[in-house]
């Protein structure tokens, strides 16, 4: 009753923002993301018949808030398997947690992938994507590698709000530089931010109405490996999501000064002919997506921005996969 898995964070190029059902984590819009390679979560799950409690360790420590979400996720798996055993979960990230790098996406994708196998559940990746979505929305996308689309779905039970792969990472091997501009935990989490936006932002309906067009443009750009088209739609979707959230009351301002300066720097590079574009999620880090040939130049340019603490670098990677439990603590 033990299994371990690895999953990586994903970064949305056409953003998810807004829930049509908060309990089931059903999104009001579809989204398209890329799965990263060298940042990972590794999780070891063991169910112990007779045990009532769950024991959770994250990076070697217990964390009450995350522990609650993990327990809720384990409950979904137990319900599915018809058992009530407690679990021992050990999970490790090789990148800073809660620094706007989607650690919940890789975390819940790895947990569902390992937990399902530990319980002997024979679930397809699509079924695992549905379960992961209920634990953390964007985790639905981290089950798959490369370029991934998560459908908003229309069914009330959410069984059609599932992610699917669009294109393998090797088919278009872009790189991502992540400029870390703050390591403080964000003030307004995405669930509260989405709720506030839906209730108060006057742009909510325009956001929903224009998303299908954006998804179509991004799908075409990915199919045709058209970098300029992907750059335009990704920056547009990112800025539109932030404009929507900025117009909430009180406004959601996820950027700091270095975030804005990094965005300018990326645009200046692109104007000079360097194939690079930015995207920013509900936090101050800037992700610069570029052609492999441009990665060193992009990293150097971001490092040069005042207020940038560190620049991480990753290729695009695969989806969730089984690993040996020993690899979690290695
Ligand atoms: O999965 P959540 O609830 O953390 O929401 C993620 C929201 C964004 O990262 C801002 C956009 C996205 O599509 O990942």
């Amino acid at each position: 009753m033990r299994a371990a898995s690895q999953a990586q964070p994903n970064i949305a190029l056409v953003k998810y923002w807004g829930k049509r059902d908060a309990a089931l984590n059903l999104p009001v819009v579809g989204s398209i993301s890329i799965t990263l390679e060298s940042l990972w979560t590794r999780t070891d799950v063991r169910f112990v018949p007779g045990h009532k409690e769950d024991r959770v360790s994250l990076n070697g420590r217990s964390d009450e808030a995350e522990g609650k979400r993990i327990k809720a996720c384990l409950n979904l798996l137990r319900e599915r398997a018809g058992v009530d055993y407690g679990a021992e979960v050990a999970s490790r990230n090789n990148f800073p947690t809660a620094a706007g790098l989607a650690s919940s996406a890789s975390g819940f994708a790895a947990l569902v992938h390992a937990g399902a196998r530990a319980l002997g559940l024979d679930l397809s990746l699509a079924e695992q994507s549905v379960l992961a979505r209920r634990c953390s929305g964007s985790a639905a996308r981290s089950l798959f590698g490369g370029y991934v689309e998560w459908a908003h779905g229309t069914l009330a039970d959410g069984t059609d709000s599932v992610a699917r792969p669009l294109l393998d990472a090797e088919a278009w091997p872009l790189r991502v530089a992540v400029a870390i501009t703050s390591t403080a935990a964000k003030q307004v989490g995405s669930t509260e931010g989405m709720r506030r936006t839906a209730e108060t932002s006057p742009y909510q309906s325009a956001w929903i109405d224009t998303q299908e067009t954006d998804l179509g443009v991004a799908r075409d750009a990915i199919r045709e490996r058209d970098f300029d088209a992907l750059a335009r739609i990704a920056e547009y979707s990112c800025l539109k999501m932030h404009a929507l959230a900025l117009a909430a009351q009180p406004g959601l301002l996820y950027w700091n000064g270095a975030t804005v300066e990094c965005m300018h720097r990326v645009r200046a590079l692109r104007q000079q002919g360097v194939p690079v574009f930015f995207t920013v999620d509900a936090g101050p880090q800037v992700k610069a997506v570029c052609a492999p040939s441009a990665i060193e130049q992009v990293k150097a340019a971001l490092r040069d921005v005042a207020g940038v603490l560190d620049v991480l670098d990753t290729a695009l990677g695969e989806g969730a996969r089984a690993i040996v439990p020993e690899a979690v603590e290695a």
Side-chain angles (χ1 to χ4, degrees):
M1 305 213 80
R2 182 182 190 188
S5 297
Q6 171 174 327
Q8 291 96 242
N10 69 77
I11 291 172
L13 302 183
V14 178
K15 301 293 186 193
Y16 149 52
W17 195 255
K19 298 180 200 268
R20 65 182 169 90
D21 181 317
L24 289 174
N25 253 344
L26 295 174
V28 285
V29 291
S31 53
I32 290 178
S33 61
I34 43 178
T35 301
L36 307 182
E37 184 196 40
S38 47
L39 312 175
W40 47 249
T41 300
R42 291 179 178 168
T43 302
D44 178 8
V45 183
R46 186 207 312 252
F47 287 92
V48 189
H51 273 211
K52 286 279 167 257
E53 296 296 306
D54 293 321
R55 287 216 338 243
V56 176
S57 121
L58 295 176
N59 294 317
R61 280 193 253 145
S62 67
D63 173 326
E64 210 168 305
E66 280 303 306
K68 272 199 191 133
R69 293 179 72 194
I70 289 170
K71 193 177 167 61
C73 192
L74 291 167
N75 285 343
L76 293 177
L77 291 163
R78 283 188 280 250
E79 201 176 288
R80 198 62 180 250
V83 301
D84 64 354
Y85 316 142
E88 288 184 7
V89 177
S91 187
R92 196 159 60 88
N93 292 331
N94 72 340
F95 61 97
T97 308
L101 289 171
S103 58
S104 65
S106 52
F108 286 104
L111 181 67
V112 166
H113 195 265
R117 282 183 10 269
L119 287 170
L121 290 168
D122 186 20
L123 301 181
S124 67
L125 286 173
E127 289 171 301
Q128 293 178 46
S129 167
V130 168
L131 282 176
R133 184 208 75 227
R134 292 182 60 183
C135 307
S136 169
S138 53
R141 298 185 304 232
S142 273
L143 268 312
F144 299 98
Y147 301 77
V148 179
E149 177 164 2
W150 169 25
H152 64 74
T154 52
L155 299 175
D157 70 359
T159 45
D160 61 345
S161 183
V162 56
R164 69 181 170 105
L166 293 176
L167 186 72
D168 286 348
E170 313 85 72
W172 196 15
L174 298 180
R175 296 282 285 267
V176 183
V178 183
I180 309 286
T181 65
S182 167
T183 53
K186 59 184 149 198
Q187 284 172 355
V188 184
S190 54
T191 299
E192 163 58 16
M194 289 180 198
R195 191 197 57 76
R196 189 187 299 175
T197 304
E199 283 175 9
T200 62
S201 177
Y203 304 146
Q204 180 78 0
S205 60
W207 166 252
I208 296 170
D209 292 347
T210 53
Q211 188 80 344
E212 280 311 315
T213 307
D214 296 358
L215 290 167
V217 171
R219 250 182 248 127
D220 289 349
I222 290 166
R223 194 180 50 239
E224 288 155 22
R225 323 299 200 255
D226 182 340
F227 189 90
D228 290 338
L230 189 63
R232 278 195 303 273
I233 192 67
E235 289 192 359
Y236 171 65
S237 178
C238 164
L239 292 174
K240 188 163 57 169
M241 182 200 97
H242 284 277
L244 166 75
L246 282 162
Q249 278 183 334
L252 295 154
L253 181 51
Y254 287 111
W255 305 340
N256 59 35
T259 313
V260 177
E261 198 48 44
C262 286
M263 293 193 274
H264 283 301
R265 203 61 73 94
V266 166
R267 284 203 160 168
L269 282 174
R270 193 154 82 255
Q271 251 160 21
Q272 292 161 26
V274 179
V276 59
F277 62 86
F278 66 73
T279 190
V280 183
D281 292 304
Q285 326 307 4
V286 177
K287 291 96 178 188
V289 181
C290 66
S293 58
I295 187 71
E296 290 309 324
Q297 193 178 356
V298 168
K299 280 167 65 182
L302 292 174
R303 264 199 213 104
D304 186 50
V305 172
V308 169
L309 309 172
D310 195 10
V311 180
L312 312 177
D313 156 25
T314 172
L316 306 191
E318 292 171 34
R321 82 209 74 137
I323 54 170
V324 293
E326 292 71 34
V328 175
E329 294 308 327

